[in-house]
Amino acid sequence: MATKFKYNLDALEWDEQHLRNKEGVYCYCGMDYNEGDPMLQCSDCNQLFHWDCVSCLKAKPLRGDIFYQFKCNVCNEGKGEEYEREVLSWVQVIYLVLYHLSKEDPKRSYFRWRENICQTISDNWAGLFPDKKKTATWQNTVAGCLSTHSALFKSGMEETQQSGNWTLHEVAAPTRDRFRGPTKTGGRQRAGQSRRRDGAEKEILEVLGEGQSKKRSGARHRVSFSDDEDDEDDRRRMRRAKRKRIDASKALAEDSELLQSVELFTQLQRQQQQQQQQSGADEAVKQEDGLGKHAFGLFST
């Protein structure tokens, strides 16, 4: 691996974003790069490196990925490259994936949350979450983040009349500043915003319904936003419910970005349960009325 550049790095003329130079000279190899090619930027010299020219990456990174710390071999005085993945929130991951998908297929307006977004996350899991294992409900976490961070993510429910379609409000390259402000809309909602919220809630309810149907069929499936999943048997779960609620509260306190998502899931699930109970009560009343009319007919004859 090169211990010095083949060119004079200080003589290169860069643009304001330090993404292009007039000479078209980059990396150890001194070659140019095509628009859209994922490049690594050294945190010391700021030079850009082709991902397949470095030894620290095993897979091609997503387009727009800036959430890392990289030190090239030249700056590290020939001691080897240094690469460290920054800890990513779910919001950052989803934004990065949607940006990548939008650049890969610019003619497409929306992407399916499970088939496109979740599949891309799964395919790149080792690079995005090097120290995290997949949980049983991570895809539900993705659905919750999409539905609650509406300042970044746009639902296609209103345009496509189908839940599960998502895109970015603005297809702009990820920056760290983009995630420092609020990513959830609040305050008074207009009619269009209300319809989009209804679509997001419908999608969450569909995820809940899917989990309940699997549970009725005998499969174990829980809707959760916690990254720490318990593998306890259903018989022991009730006995330890109180302790689990405390653990879940602590976990959510550490990840405030998902707190509102969990509250929304809980609220919608409670409403769904109330509707099911009310439906059952109405059915019981109908049955009692039917029995009463039948009895009255017997006495009348």
Side-chain angles (χ1 to χ4, degrees):
M1 188 177 295
T3 57
K4 63 179 182 179
F5 295 116
K6 302 175 181 179
Y7 48 87
N8 184 358
L9 181 63
D10 296 330
L12 301 179
E13 298 183 38
W14 293 84
D15 59 12
E16 294 182 1
Q17 293 78 27
H18 205 89
L19 297 176
R20 285 285 185 180
N21 58 59
K22 293 182 179 180
E23 296 76 9
V25 176
Y26 308 92
C27 193
Y28 303 120
C29 63
M31 303 296 290
D32 202 349
Y33 72 94
N34 297 321
E35 191 67 30
D37 290 346
M39 303 287 285
L40 284 180
Q41 187 168 37
C42 178
S43 56
D44 282 17
C45 66
N46 289 328
Q47 177 58 295
L48 301 175
F49 295 82
H50 306 106
W51 76 271
D52 50 356
C53 285
V54 302
S55 61
C56 59
L57 291 183
K58 297 181 180 180
K60 184 178 180 180
L62 298 177
R63 292 194 184 193
D65 191 352
I66 61 168
F67 304 106
Y68 59 84
Q69 295 296 322
F70 169 69
K71 190 174 183 179
C72 71
N73 190 57
V74 176
C75 292
N76 208 24
E77 301 177 349
K79 299 177 183 178
E81 298 165 344
E82 295 180 1
Y83 177 87
E84 182 180 1
R85 162 64 74 190
E86 296 178 4
V87 178
L88 296 175
S89 68
W90 277 109
V91 176
Q92 289 173 317
V93 169
I94 296 170
Y95 187 97
L96 177 61
V97 166
L98 276 172
Y99 177 80
H100 171 81
L101 292 172
S102 298
K103 289 298 183 179
E104 288 286 305
D105 192 358
K107 295 182 179 180
R108 188 167 177 178
S109 300
Y110 293 95
F111 299 92
R112 298 291 298 165
W113 80 276
R114 189 189 296 274
E115 294 87 345
N116 302 129
I117 300 173
C118 289
Q119 186 61 51
T120 303
I121 294 174
S122 180
D123 293 342
N124 295 272
W125 188 277
L128 295 170
F129 303 111
D131 299 321
K132 181 185 292 186
K133 294 182 179 180
K134 291 182 182 178
T135 63
T137 58
W138 71 270
Q139 292 184 338
N140 299 341
T141 304
V142 174
C145 284
L146 285 167
S147 300
T148 55
H149 292 268
S150 53
L152 295 174
F153 310 129
K154 178 183 177 181
S155 171
M157 181 66 181
E158 187 175 354
E159 296 181 27
T160 65
Q161 299 300 310
Q162 184 181 19
S163 62
N165 293 316
W166 293 89
T167 189
L168 296 174
H169 277 290
E170 179 186 4
V171 183
T175 62
R176 290 178 177 83
D177 292 337
R178 186 173 296 275
F179 303 99
R180 290 175 181 170
T183 58
K184 304 175 183 178
T185 56
R188 184 175 299 175
Q189 293 183 333
R190 297 178 181 177
Q193 292 175 326
S194 177
R195 286 193 296 270
R196 287 193 292 271
R197 178 176 174 84
D198 291 341
E201 291 183 355
K202 179 181 178 181
E203 180 159 355
I204 293 180
L205 285 174
E206 287 180 354
V207 173
L208 287 172
E210 179 183 343
Q212 290 177 352
S213 64
K214 288 184 178 180
K215 185 176 180 181
R216 285 193 296 268
S217 64
R220 293 180 60 201
H221 183 89
R222 286 172 289 159
V223 176
S224 172
F225 281 97
S226 174
D227 286 340
D228 299 322
E229 296 292 334
D230 292 320
D231 292 328
E232 300 292 339
D233 295 332
D234 293 339
R235 292 173 297 180
R236 301 174 61 187
R237 198 186 312 164
M238 295 299 295
R239 187 169 63 251
R240 307 178 68 176
K242 183 177 181 179
R243 183 177 64 81
K244 288 183 181 180
R245 285 196 297 270
I246 296 175
D247 293 341
S249 299
K250 292 180 179 179
L252 290 173
E254 296 174 356
D255 194 352
S256 59
E257 291 182 339
L258 299 181
L259 181 57
Q260 183 174 342
S261 302
V262 179
E263 292 175 348
L264 181 56
F265 260 98
T266 304
Q267 179 182 356
L268 293 175
Q269 191 173 28
R270 188 181 299 114
Q271 292 176 356
Q272 191 178 52
Q273 291 173 349
Q274 291 175 350
Q275 291 175 356
Q276 291 175 350
Q277 292 174 356
Q278 182 63 39
S279 177
D282 293 341
E283 184 64 26
V285 171
K286 290 181 180 179
Q287 291 179 357
E288 290 180 359
D289 290 343
L291 290 173
K293 291 178 180 180
H294 180 67
F296 179 77
L298 291 175
F299 280 108
S300 298
T301 56

